[in-house]
Amino acid sequence: VESPAKAKTIGKYLGDEFTVKSSVGHVRDLPKKGLSIKIAPADPPESGWTFTPSYEVSSGKEKIVEDLRRAAKSADEIFLAPDPDREGEAIAWHLGEVLSDVTKGKEVHRVTYNEITKGAVRAAVEHPGEINLARVDAQQSRRILDRLVGFKVSLLLWKNLPYGHSLSAGRVQSVALRLLVEREREI
């Protein structure tokens, strides 16, 4: 699960046959420095472009990942249960990736529930699913856009404005600003 408090509550609901651990949110991200996204023509080229992110374990998460790896290595099955939204789906996918070498040959399940009650949690564990890759792709697309727009536009701000070094640009703000500028030019 994502939070230590949820892990404690869910651990009580599931009993001693389960070890419930927390990832404390995301465990991997794009490196802080550089673009970290490989942009290349798709195959075939007329179908567009591919954007391949390079992830690393987030700074400060090394001990958490190592603890999760130890727990996964000694487990019979692994149930990934972050929140049931696109961020949670991405967290489950990233956990699956960082644990993949210690979970080989073991069943890895995706568990979702909309309320943290004993009945809901037990039902989710009894009827697990799989990671929703469409949600993972949605989260990755958002993250890639954050990096591409933020990285590229922020560099322009830093170079072209006297106070630009204290500014950063995001995928939403940058588009909104462009709409405002275009409208102002029309006026």
Side-chain angles (χ1 to χ4, degrees), residues 14 79 111-113 117-129:
L14 295 175
F79 293 85
V111 175
T112 58
Y113 39 81
T117 61
K118 190 172 189 175
V121 170
R122 285 183 174 258
V125 169
E126 289 171 13
H127 305 289

PDB file of all heavy atoms in Angstrom, residues 14 79 111-113 117-129:
ATOM      1  N   LEU A  14      -6.206  -8.268   7.689  1.00  0.00           N
ATOM      2  CA  LEU A  14      -5.806  -9.497   7.006  1.00  0.00           C
ATOM      3  C   LEU A  14      -5.197 -10.541   7.933  1.00  0.00           C
ATOM      4  O   LEU A  14      -5.130 -11.712   7.577  1.00  0.00           O
ATOM      5  CB  LEU A  14      -4.832  -9.167   5.866  1.00  0.00           C
ATOM      6  CG  LEU A  14      -5.425  -8.338   4.724  1.00  0.00           C
ATOM      7  CD1 LEU A  14      -4.338  -7.967   3.716  1.00  0.00           C
ATOM      8  CD2 LEU A  14      -6.568  -9.069   4.046  1.00  0.00           C
ATOM      9  N   PHE A  79       0.817  -8.971  -3.369  1.00  0.00           N
ATOM     10  CA  PHE A  79      -0.385  -8.216  -3.673  1.00  0.00           C
ATOM     11  C   PHE A  79      -0.020  -6.733  -3.639  1.00  0.00           C
ATOM     12  O   PHE A  79       0.345  -6.215  -2.585  1.00  0.00           O
ATOM     13  CB  PHE A  79      -1.483  -8.504  -2.631  1.00  0.00           C
ATOM     14  CG  PHE A  79      -1.997  -9.908  -2.664  1.00  0.00           C
ATOM     15  CD1 PHE A  79      -1.338 -10.919  -1.978  1.00  0.00           C
ATOM     16  CD2 PHE A  79      -3.145 -10.223  -3.374  1.00  0.00           C
ATOM     17  CE1 PHE A  79      -1.803 -12.219  -2.002  1.00  0.00           C
ATOM     18  CE2 PHE A  79      -3.616 -11.531  -3.406  1.00  0.00           C
ATOM     19  CZ  PHE A  79      -2.945 -12.523  -2.719  1.00  0.00           C
ATOM     20  N   VAL A 111      -4.408  -5.334  -6.378  1.00  0.00           N
ATOM     21  CA  VAL A 111      -5.590  -5.321  -5.522  1.00  0.00           C
ATOM     22  C   VAL A 111      -6.092  -3.892  -5.425  1.00  0.00           C
ATOM     23  O   VAL A 111      -5.317  -2.970  -5.171  1.00  0.00           O
ATOM     24  CB  VAL A 111      -5.238  -5.853  -4.107  1.00  0.00           C
ATOM     25  CG1 VAL A 111      -6.414  -5.733  -3.172  1.00  0.00           C
ATOM     26  CG2 VAL A 111      -4.768  -7.294  -4.185  1.00  0.00           C
ATOM     27  N   THR A 112      -7.394  -3.709  -5.648  1.00  0.00           N
ATOM     28  CA  THR A 112      -7.990  -2.378  -5.489  1.00  0.00           C
ATOM     29  C   THR A 112      -9.230  -2.462  -4.623  1.00  0.00           C
ATOM     30  O   THR A 112      -9.948  -3.465  -4.638  1.00  0.00           O
ATOM     31  CB  THR A 112      -8.371  -1.745  -6.842  1.00  0.00           C
ATOM     32  OG1 THR A 112      -9.280  -2.597  -7.519  1.00  0.00           O
ATOM     33  CG2 THR A 112      -7.149  -1.509  -7.706  1.00  0.00           C
ATOM     34  N   TYR A 113      -9.462  -1.393  -3.877  1.00  0.00           N
ATOM     35  CA  TYR A 113     -10.647  -1.271  -3.031  1.00  0.00           C
ATOM     36  C   TYR A 113     -10.941   0.209  -2.907  1.00  0.00           C
ATOM     37  O   TYR A 113     -10.048   1.046  -3.031  1.00  0.00           O
ATOM     38  CB  TYR A 113     -10.423  -1.908  -1.652  1.00  0.00           C
ATOM     39  CG  TYR A 113      -9.041  -1.672  -1.109  1.00  0.00           C
ATOM     40  CD1 TYR A 113      -8.709  -0.482  -0.489  1.00  0.00           C
ATOM     41  CD2 TYR A 113      -8.042  -2.636  -1.274  1.00  0.00           C
ATOM     42  CE1 TYR A 113      -7.427  -0.247  -0.031  1.00  0.00           C
ATOM     43  CE2 TYR A 113      -6.755  -2.406  -0.817  1.00  0.00           C
ATOM     44  CZ  TYR A 113      -6.461  -1.207  -0.196  1.00  0.00           C
ATOM     45  OH  TYR A 113      -5.187  -0.970   0.246  1.00  0.00           O
ATOM     46  N   THR A 117     -12.238  -0.954   4.699  1.00  0.00           N
ATOM     47  CA  THR A 117     -13.010  -1.686   5.698  1.00  0.00           C
ATOM     48  C   THR A 117     -12.566  -3.136   5.608  1.00  0.00           C
ATOM     49  O   THR A 117     -12.034  -3.568   4.578  1.00  0.00           O
ATOM     50  CB  THR A 117     -14.521  -1.600   5.435  1.00  0.00           C
ATOM     51  OG1 THR A 117     -14.809  -2.189   4.156  1.00  0.00           O
ATOM     52  CG2 THR A 117     -15.014  -0.147   5.446  1.00  0.00           C
ATOM     53  N   LYS A 118     -12.783  -3.865   6.652  1.00  0.00           N
ATOM     54  CA  LYS A 118     -12.358  -5.264   6.667  1.00  0.00           C
ATOM     55  C   LYS A 118     -12.976  -6.033   5.504  1.00  0.00           C
ATOM     56  O   LYS A 118     -12.286  -6.773   4.790  1.00  0.00           O
ATOM     57  CB  LYS A 118     -12.742  -5.907   8.007  1.00  0.00           C
ATOM     58  CG  LYS A 118     -12.147  -7.264   8.223  1.00  0.00           C
ATOM     59  CD  LYS A 118     -12.420  -7.736   9.645  1.00  0.00           C
ATOM     60  CE  LYS A 118     -11.646  -9.010   9.937  1.00  0.00           C
ATOM     61  NZ  LYS A 118     -11.790  -9.421  11.341  1.00  0.00           N
ATOM     62  N   GLY A 119     -14.267  -5.835   5.273  1.00  0.00           N
ATOM     63  CA  GLY A 119     -14.951  -6.551   4.187  1.00  0.00           C
ATOM     64  C   GLY A 119     -14.407  -6.198   2.817  1.00  0.00           C
ATOM     65  O   GLY A 119     -14.173  -7.078   1.982  1.00  0.00           O
ATOM     66  N   ALA A 120     -14.196  -4.901   2.565  1.00  0.00           N
ATOM     67  CA  ALA A 120     -13.712  -4.461   1.253  1.00  0.00           C
ATOM     68  C   ALA A 120     -12.291  -4.954   0.987  1.00  0.00           C
ATOM     69  O   ALA A 120     -11.975  -5.410  -0.108  1.00  0.00           O
ATOM     70  CB  ALA A 120     -13.772  -2.938   1.153  1.00  0.00           C
ATOM     71  N   VAL A 121     -11.446  -4.876   2.001  1.00  0.00           N
ATOM     72  CA  VAL A 121     -10.058  -5.306   1.838  1.00  0.00           C
ATOM     73  C   VAL A 121      -9.981  -6.814   1.618  1.00  0.00           C
ATOM     74  O   VAL A 121      -9.297  -7.286   0.706  1.00  0.00           O
ATOM     75  CB  VAL A 121      -9.192  -4.865   3.044  1.00  0.00           C
ATOM     76  CG1 VAL A 121      -7.822  -5.512   3.007  1.00  0.00           C
ATOM     77  CG2 VAL A 121      -9.075  -3.344   3.083  1.00  0.00           C
ATOM     78  N   ARG A 122     -10.702  -7.564   2.415  1.00  0.00           N
ATOM     79  CA  ARG A 122     -10.690  -9.025   2.245  1.00  0.00           C
ATOM     80  C   ARG A 122     -11.254  -9.439   0.884  1.00  0.00           C
ATOM     81  O   ARG A 122     -10.718 -10.336   0.235  1.00  0.00           O
ATOM     82  CB  ARG A 122     -11.454  -9.703   3.378  1.00  0.00           C
ATOM     83  CG  ARG A 122     -10.679  -9.707   4.680  1.00  0.00           C
ATOM     84  CD  ARG A 122     -11.461 -10.460   5.770  1.00  0.00           C
ATOM     85  NE  ARG A 122     -10.655 -10.571   6.948  1.00  0.00           N
ATOM     86  CZ  ARG A 122     -10.020 -11.678   7.301  1.00  0.00           C
ATOM     87  NH1 ARG A 122     -10.087 -12.754   6.559  1.00  0.00           N
ATOM     88  NH2 ARG A 122      -9.297 -11.704   8.400  1.00  0.00           N
ATOM     89  N   ALA A 123     -12.335  -8.794   0.452  1.00  0.00           N
ATOM     90  CA  ALA A 123     -12.925  -9.106  -0.860  1.00  0.00           C
ATOM     91  C   ALA A 123     -11.930  -8.799  -1.980  1.00  0.00           C
ATOM     92  O   ALA A 123     -11.810  -9.565  -2.944  1.00  0.00           O
ATOM     93  CB  ALA A 123     -14.215  -8.318  -1.058  1.00  0.00           C
ATOM     94  N   ALA A 124     -11.203  -7.690  -1.860  1.00  0.00           N
ATOM     95  CA  ALA A 124     -10.220  -7.312  -2.883  1.00  0.00           C
ATOM     96  C   ALA A 124      -9.098  -8.341  -2.968  1.00  0.00           C
ATOM     97  O   ALA A 124      -8.662  -8.710  -4.061  1.00  0.00           O
ATOM     98  CB  ALA A 124      -9.657  -5.927  -2.576  1.00  0.00           C
ATOM     99  N   VAL A 125      -8.644  -8.825  -1.823  1.00  0.00           N
ATOM    100  CA  VAL A 125      -7.565  -9.818  -1.804  1.00  0.00           C
ATOM    101  C   VAL A 125      -8.061 -11.159  -2.352  1.00  0.00           C
ATOM    102  O   VAL A 125      -7.322 -11.874  -3.030  1.00  0.00           O
ATOM    103  CB  VAL A 125      -6.980  -9.959  -0.379  1.00  0.00           C
ATOM    104  CG1 VAL A 125      -6.052 -11.151  -0.280  1.00  0.00           C
ATOM    105  CG2 VAL A 125      -6.246  -8.686   0.014  1.00  0.00           C
ATOM    106  N   GLU A 126      -9.318 -11.480  -2.098  1.00  0.00           N
ATOM    107  CA  GLU A 126      -9.887 -12.737  -2.607  1.00  0.00           C
ATOM    108  C   GLU A 126     -10.131 -12.690  -4.111  1.00  0.00           C
ATOM    109  O   GLU A 126     -10.195 -13.735  -4.756  1.00  0.00           O
ATOM    110  CB  GLU A 126     -11.187 -13.051  -1.869  1.00  0.00           C
ATOM    111  CG  GLU A 126     -10.971 -13.466  -0.427  1.00  0.00           C
ATOM    112  CD  GLU A 126     -12.264 -13.579   0.377  1.00  0.00           C
ATOM    113  OE1 GLU A 126     -13.361 -13.568  -0.235  1.00  0.00           O
ATOM    114  OE2 GLU A 126     -12.173 -13.661   1.615  1.00  0.00           O
ATOM    115  N   HIS A 127     -10.284 -11.489  -4.675  1.00  0.00           N
ATOM    116  CA  HIS A 127     -10.556 -11.336  -6.110  1.00  0.00           C
ATOM    117  C   HIS A 127      -9.605 -10.306  -6.724  1.00  0.00           C
ATOM    118  O   HIS A 127     -10.031  -9.251  -7.199  1.00  0.00           O
ATOM    119  CB  HIS A 127     -12.012 -10.899  -6.331  1.00  0.00           C
ATOM    120  CG  HIS A 127     -13.015 -11.806  -5.709  1.00  0.00           C
ATOM    121  ND1 HIS A 127     -13.275 -13.069  -6.197  1.00  0.00           N
ATOM    122  CD2 HIS A 127     -13.783 -11.657  -4.600  1.00  0.00           C
ATOM    123  CE1 HIS A 127     -14.182 -13.644  -5.431  1.00  0.00           C
ATOM    124  NE2 HIS A 127     -14.497 -12.816  -4.448  1.00  0.00           N
ATOM    125  N   PRO A 128      -8.302 -10.624  -6.736  1.00  0.00           N
ATOM    126  CA  PRO A 128      -7.332  -9.654  -7.268  1.00  0.00           C
ATOM    127  C   PRO A 128      -7.419  -9.552  -8.786  1.00  0.00           C
ATOM    128  O   PRO A 128      -7.978 -10.421  -9.457  1.00  0.00           O
ATOM    129  CB  PRO A 128      -5.990 -10.232  -6.828  1.00  0.00           C
ATOM    130  CG  PRO A 128      -6.229 -11.705  -6.766  1.00  0.00           C
ATOM    131  CD  PRO A 128      -7.658 -11.857  -6.306  1.00  0.00           C
ATOM    132  N   GLY A 129      -6.849  -8.482  -9.312  1.00  0.00           N
ATOM    133  CA  GLY A 129      -6.803  -8.282 -10.757  1.00  0.00           C
ATOM    134  C   GLY A 129      -5.372  -8.107 -11.220  1.00  0.00           C
ATOM    135  O   GLY A 129      -4.442  -8.624 -10.592  1.00  0.00           O
TER     136      GLY A 129
END
